């Protein structure tokens, strides 16, 4: 007996109708953001290692979870992408499209995490980035597009968590204040956080370890350190969201999982999911990232939404059912000729969704297959039909069956099918 294989740990095989839902979600996103002038970009799934290490040297995502690719010479130069913002900014730095540049993307990312429900080693995101303007109205547009997308797929129990991380001298002073605060209580910090403190004090705020909770809660608040322009920028973001009626929760310790964020940061929590995996998306501003990747000093803002988790949240809320898929017509043929082959080809070329049985099965077995297919009409071709160049049309959900001329099948069929159907909602 030969060996059997399974999908790698932390990955999933996705079948219909779930795969139909995935396609529908991606199509809905594409439609949603193209209404706002975003164009799709398709970056490669791996990049030079430095693209990612540049953006997250102090983060678990980059330090511990990257799928680094071993090259033939044994040196590791490249890695599978753990996220796509860095790739999109690398694309910009390399090709310099005109500003403002509004780009969206969809596709898988790879992180070597401990797998559990809602946390996978390969997971999909849809996301967008705007490079160029540092106008707070862009932050509002980006957040609103994410919020309205959750609404569009039917999610009702999503919360927006909002913060500003500041930038420039205010941010420097704040990071220093954190260093002093945590540094004064080093013994009370977890070992992991002591390590993080040396790399990036801001990230200690992201610690979920219980032993750090008290110190994190007592840490200085960034709001007290925001420079006047940053405070005004954040106030304008909030005014915009208020004007749109988009509720948010201010979350002063929201620092996010990557190093590059400045000023506005946000996350979306789905209350229908377990608290450990309830983040269904997040994003923010990253005004220094393009320059870090060798490009000009161009500000940026964007988000990434987790497709796997959005669909889990939809399951929990009973939203976004799979679109109607499958076929409309099933051809049942008990003749040795090419009638079924020709009929399927003709109908498919006319845009009708048609399947048939193979292997010369009995009439009874083919009718069972027709039933299972979900088709609304079965087209029967036996020896008599073949000889007379006719086809018998049998409605699958009640109604009289009748025989029509072979050349009239398409015309007679049309009124029995309920119009075009596709994968989109
Ligand atoms: P992040 O850049 O880590 O904030 O990721 C953005 C979104 O991607 C998160 O809010 C999740 O919805 C999703 N996500 C991140 N990591 C995973 C993972 N390992 N498995 C499934 N979804 C993930």
């Amino acid at each position: 007996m030969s060996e059997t294989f399974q999908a790698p740990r932390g990955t999933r095989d996705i079948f219909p109708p779930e795969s139909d839902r995935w396609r529908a979600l991606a199509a809905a996103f594409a439609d949603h953001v193209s209404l706002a002038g975003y164009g799709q970009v398709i970056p490669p799934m791996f990049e030079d290692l430095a693209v990612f290490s540049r953006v997250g040297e102090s983060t678990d995502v980059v330090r511990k979870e990257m799928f680094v690719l071993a090259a033939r010479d044994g040196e590791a130069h490249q890695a599978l992408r753990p996220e796509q913002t860095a790739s999109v900014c690398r694309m910009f730095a390399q090709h310099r499209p005109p500003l403002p540049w509004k780009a969206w993307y969809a596709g898988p990312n790879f992180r070597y995490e401990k797998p559990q429900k809602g946390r996978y080693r390969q997971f999909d995101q849809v996301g967008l980035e705007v490079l160029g303007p540092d106008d707070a109205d862009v932050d509002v547009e980006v957040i609103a597009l994410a919020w309205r997308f959750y609404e569009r797929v039917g999610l009702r129990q999503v919360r927006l968590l909002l913060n500003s991380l500041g930038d420039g001298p205010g941010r420097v002073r704040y990071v220093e204040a954190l260093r002093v605060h945590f540094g004064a209580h080093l013994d009370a910090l977890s070992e992991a956080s002591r390590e993080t403190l040396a790399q990036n004090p801001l990230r200690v705020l992201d610690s979920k370890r219980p032993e750090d909770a008290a110190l994190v809660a007592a840490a200085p608040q960034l709001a007290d350190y925001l420079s006047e322009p940053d405070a005004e920028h954040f106030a304008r973001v909030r005014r915009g969201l208020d004007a749109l009626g988009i509720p948010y929760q201010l979350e002063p310790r929201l620092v996010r999982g990557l190093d590059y964020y400045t000023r506005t940061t946000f996350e979306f929590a789905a209350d229908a999911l377990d608290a450990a995996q309830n983040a269904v998306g997040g994003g923010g501003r990253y005004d220094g990232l393009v320059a870090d990747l060798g490009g000009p000093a161009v500000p940026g803002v964007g988000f990434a939404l987790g497709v796997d988790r959005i669909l889990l949240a939809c399951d929990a809320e009973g939203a976004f059912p799979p679109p109607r898929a499958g076929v409309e017509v099933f051809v049942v043929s008990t003749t040795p000729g090419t009638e079924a082959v020709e009929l399927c080809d003709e109908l498919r070329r006319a845009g009708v969704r048609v399947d048939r049985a193979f292997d010369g099965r009995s009439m009874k077995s083919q009718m069972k297959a027709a039933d299972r297919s979900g088709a609304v009409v079965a087209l029967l071709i036996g020896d008599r039909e073949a000889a007379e160049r006719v086809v018998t049309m049998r409605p699958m959900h009640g109604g009289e069956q009748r025989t029509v001329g072979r050349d009239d099948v398409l015309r007679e069929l049309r009124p029995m099918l309920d119009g075009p159907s596709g994968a989109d909602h």
Side-chain angles (χ1 to χ4, degrees):
M1 214 175 76
S2 62
E3 196 180 349
T4 58
F5 296 101
Q6 299 204 327
R9 200 164 127 72
T11 69
R12 293 173 306 148
D13 297 320
I14 299 171
F15 290 85
E18 189 61 9
S19 50
D20 298 316
R21 248 174 132 203
W22 277 64
R23 202 171 57 252
L25 193 89
F29 187 77
D31 180 62
H32 187 69
V33 298
S34 62
L35 287 175
Y38 292 75
Q40 184 177 10
V41 292
I42 307 179
M45 289 199 202
F46 59 92
E47 296 273 351
D48 284 349
L49 206 48
V51 169
F52 303 122
S53 42
R54 202 71 61 80
V55 304
E57 256 151 353
S58 74
T59 66
D60 282 356
V61 169
V62 169
R63 288 172 60 208
K64 301 185 186 152
E65 297 169 3
M66 280 229 288
F67 277 88
V68 174
L69 301 174
R72 283 171 185 278
D73 62 4
E75 294 276 312
H77 302 290
Q78 294 172 325
L80 294 181
R81 63 185 183 206
E83 56 115 49
Q84 292 172 65
T85 302
S87 303
V88 174
C89 289
R90 194 271 308 146
M91 271 174 105
F92 176 83
Q94 180 178 344
H95 303 281
R96 308 288 171 96
L99 294 171
W101 190 49
K102 296 172 96 174
W104 71 269
Y105 59 79
N109 307 294
F110 307 86
R111 295 182 191 176
Y112 198 78
E113 303 202 70
K114 199 161 161 244
Q116 49 194 297
K117 189 174 183 199
R119 188 173 297 278
Y120 309 108
R121 290 184 174 172
Q122 176 177 331
F123 61 94
D124 259 54
Q125 287 179 338
V126 291
L128 56 77
E129 317 289 347
V130 186
L131 298 189
D134 84 341
D135 189 332
D137 283 6
V138 182
D139 305 38
V140 176
E141 171 173 307
V142 163
I143 294 171
L145 281 169
W147 182 263
R148 301 294 181 216
F149 185 64
Y150 295 121
E151 281 183 352
R152 177 172 177 155
V153 301
L155 288 177
R156 294 290 170 266
Q157 298 168 46
V158 176
R159 263 178 309 124
L160 165 59
L161 313 175
L162 186 67
N163 191 20
S164 172
L165 291 179
D167 203 1
R171 163 87 160 251
V172 172
R173 280 192 298 120
Y174 180 60
V175 169
E176 201 37 51
L178 286 178
R179 203 188 302 281
V180 169
H181 168 76
F182 290 119
H185 304 91
L186 269 188
D187 295 348
L189 271 187
S190 66
E191 193 184 328
S193 287
R194 280 203 296 272
E195 220 176 280
T196 311
L197 181 64
Q199 304 255 354
N200 182 352
L202 258 185
R203 295 213 40 75
V204 179
L205 294 178
D206 201 30
S207 165
K208 306 280 187 301
R209 295 175 190 88
E211 59 267 44
D212 296 330
L215 271 183
V216 167
Q221 301 261 331
L222 184 66
D224 301 331
Y225 291 80
L226 283 186
S227 66
E228 200 161 309
D230 287 349
E232 172 48 33
H233 190 273
F234 193 40
R236 193 168 161 80
V237 172
R238 297 200 313 266
R239 272 203 300 282
L241 293 173
D242 291 340
L244 297 181
I246 295 177
Y248 51 84
Q249 215 169 297
L250 292 177
E251 199 64 42
R253 289 188 184 79
L254 181 72
V255 295
R256 312 256 315 119
L258 289 151
D259 281 343
Y260 48 65
Y261 287 104
T262 54
R263 299 204 272 181
T264 316
T265 53
F266 52 90
E267 215 158 82
F268 298 94
D271 287 333
L273 296 180
D274 288 348
Q277 268 78 239
N278 71 351
V280 287
R285 258 197 182 278
Y286 43 84
D287 293 341
L289 181 55
V290 178
D292 281 348
L293 290 169
V298 171
V301 59
F303 65 64
L305 315 182
V307 171
D308 310 69
R309 288 197 198 161
I310 290 178
L311 290 175
L312 283 173
C314 286
D315 290 340
E317 288 200 35
F320 207 68
R324 204 156 39 84
V327 295
E328 307 162 281
V329 174
F330 200 93
V331 172
V332 169
S333 162
T334 53
T335 67
T338 57
E339 292 84 359
V341 169
E342 291 174 51
L343 186 56
C344 287
D345 182 61
E346 179 194 328
L347 296 180
R348 288 169 187 160
R349 289 171 68 190
V352 178
R353 292 179 296 141
V354 188
D355 201 1
R356 55 165 290 195
F358 296 102
D359 292 334
R361 297 195 182 272
S362 69
M363 173 78 171
K364 194 170 155 207
S365 145
Q366 292 194 43
M367 280 312 297
K368 268 195 192 149
D371 241 352
R372 270 198 308 271
S373 77
V376 289
V377 185
L379 300 180
L380 316 184
I381 310 170
D383 290 337
R384 181 183 66 85
E385 282 90 350
E388 295 174 11
R389 268 191 64 76
V390 294
V391 169
T392 296
M393 303 177 80
R394 179 183 295 179
M396 298 299 289
H397 310 302
E400 287 292 294
Q401 76 171 35
R402 62 206 167 92
T403 298
V404 303
R406 170 65 184 81
D407 296 334
D408 301 327
V409 171
L410 190 56
R411 187 159 36 85
E412 296 288 332
L413 205 51
R414 288 272 189 225
M416 304 176 71
L417 309 176
D418 36 24
S421 53
D424 203 357
H425 280 241

